[in-house]
Amino acid sequence: MNLSEYWKKLTEVEFSELRQLRFPSDCYAELYMALDHENRRSLILYIPKNLLNYFATIQQESFANISIEFKLLRPHGGIVITLINPLLSEIFDDLIYSLYNKIYTEENSKAYISIFLNYYRKWSGLFEPLSDTKLSKAEIKGLIGEMIILEGLLKNPTYCNNETINGWHGPYGDEKDFFVDDNIIEVKAISTSSNEVSISSEYQLERVSKRKFFLALVELNEKQTGLNIQQKLFQLRDIINKHNLDFAALLTALKQNKINQSNISEYDDYKYEFSRVCFYDANAEDFPSITKSQIANPIKNVHYNIDLSMISNYRVETNLLAI
């Protein structure tokens, strides 16, 4: 479904207070894309007449970038989501696409309206303004490294599910980056020429009982022919939408790193070419590390480097990723 074609058709419609275009007939709900008199993009879900009184009590909620309200529209009332900030048009299209996928096969009116409202509430926080804090080049490289691991996991049919997306804990400041089934993965992005990897906490390589624990080194090299973070996000979006997974969960994770559509293009010049991923058994009893369980309580904020030439015997093959 190409939403840009829908918006283009709407601009060609004779100007009125509200120009509307219905989604394909395979959607049981009366779902319309619309442009108002200010050319603001909207999504309208019309409510069947027998349910008008039930949903007409919806209170208007207006935020800096998006709003939702119940409106009396001809031929009857509907729930209207309006994009206030046009800079977020791409994420608004993502919201529309996700809402459509969630309700288009649902025939029960009350059920699809409830799904529509609940899913909107899940997405609405993604439209909130972010702080002006900008990530460093090293932080962007690390984030792309984690996104490559997520991509590899989602391409593996075993892990192509929402649990994998929600298992990405790196952006939330957790001690480890991924928790997937009985596997835990700490991700580090390095250059192919690197002779060592930096560990920035005494918790990152703390051994884990009853689960497999891997250190994953993602080799990324700065090149103009490589991909930036926005391009990597689009690749992930295609995979997630193809399998009808929760794209909002991915966007929520990126938001923890102060990234959304309004500022992601600021990092377009940071491009990296992916080389390979190497996995190491970080749960091995003698794997070289400095961990919280090994040091005295007064010692904190430990930073150290590991010489890669001396840990080759801990390297392992896994079937986690499909890259």
Side-chain angles (χ1 to χ4, degrees), residues 14-235:
E14 183 179 350
F15 188 83
S16 64
E17 186 73 13
L18 194 65
R19 289 164 285 171
Q20 305 177 54
L21 191 62
R22 186 172 179 176
F23 271 80
S25 57
D26 62 350
C27 182
Y28 289 100
E30 285 192 61
L31 195 62
Y32 286 74
M33 292 168 61
L35 292 174
D36 67 11
H37 65 286
E38 297 180 47
N39 273 327
R40 297 184 305 183
R41 295 184 176 187
S42 298
L43 180 66
I44 304 172
L45 176 64
Y46 279 100
I47 298 175
K49 291 181 179 179
N50 64 312
L51 294 176
L52 278 178
N53 291 336
Y54 186 82
F55 288 101
T57 56
I58 294 172
Q59 298 294 312
Q60 180 176 359
E61 296 178 6
S62 294
F63 301 98
N65 297 315
I66 197 170
S67 69
I68 186 172
E69 61 183 319
F70 174 84
K71 277 187 177 181
L72 286 173
L73 303 165
R74 283 185 284 180
H76 45 83
I79 301 168
V80 182
I81 300 173
T82 301
L83 178 66
I84 298 171
N85 183 352
L87 293 177
L88 297 176
S89 58
E90 184 136 5
I91 191 175
F92 190 67
D93 282 0
D94 290 331
L95 166 61
I96 292 173
Y97 187 85
S98 295
L99 282 171
Y100 170 78
N101 276 340
K102 289 295 179 184
I103 69 173
Y104 83 95
T105 58
E106 180 57 63
E107 299 182 47
N108 183 282
S109 302
K110 189 175 285 189
Y112 67 63
I113 294 171
S114 296
I115 293 169
F116 183 91
L117 290 170
N118 290 334
Y119 215 64
Y120 164 78
R121 293 187 182 105
K122 182 173 184 177
W123 275 75
S124 60
L126 297 172
F127 290 83
E128 294 175 0
L130 299 177
S131 71
D132 293 331
T133 304
K134 189 170 183 178
L135 299 183
S136 67
K137 182 183 287 190
E139 288 172 322
I140 289 294
K141 183 177 181 178
L143 194 52
I144 291 176
E146 292 179 27
M147 293 169 76
I148 286 172
I149 295 295
L150 179 59
E151 178 186 12
L153 289 167
L154 291 176
K155 284 183 175 179
N156 183 340
T158 302
Y159 304 111
C160 187
N161 50 53
N162 286 327
E163 287 72 22
T164 295
I165 301 173
N166 293 321
W168 182 25
H169 289 198
Y172 296 89
D174 212 319
E175 296 172 5
K176 309 288 192 297
D177 292 319
F178 285 92
F179 294 77
V180 183
D181 288 350
D182 63 344
N183 304 286
I184 297 177
I185 308 170
E186 176 62 25
V187 182
K188 294 293 180 182
I190 63 171
S191 300
T192 301
S193 60
S194 296
N195 297 317
E196 55 188 34
V197 59
S198 297
I199 309 299
S200 56
S201 165
E202 63 271 29
Y203 296 100
Q204 287 188 332
L205 294 184
E206 185 75 68
R207 292 177 183 83
V208 181
S209 61
K210 299 180 181 179
R211 300 179 84 171
K212 299 174 184 176
F213 176 35
F214 301 103
L215 172 64
L217 302 186
V218 183
E219 293 185 9
L220 296 174
N221 301 301
E222 191 171 356
K223 286 188 177 182
Q224 283 305 302
T225 54
L227 296 180
N228 58 42
I229 194 167
Q230 183 164 218
Q231 292 167 319
K232 181 52 63 179
L233 174 60
F234 290 162
Q235 289 181 341

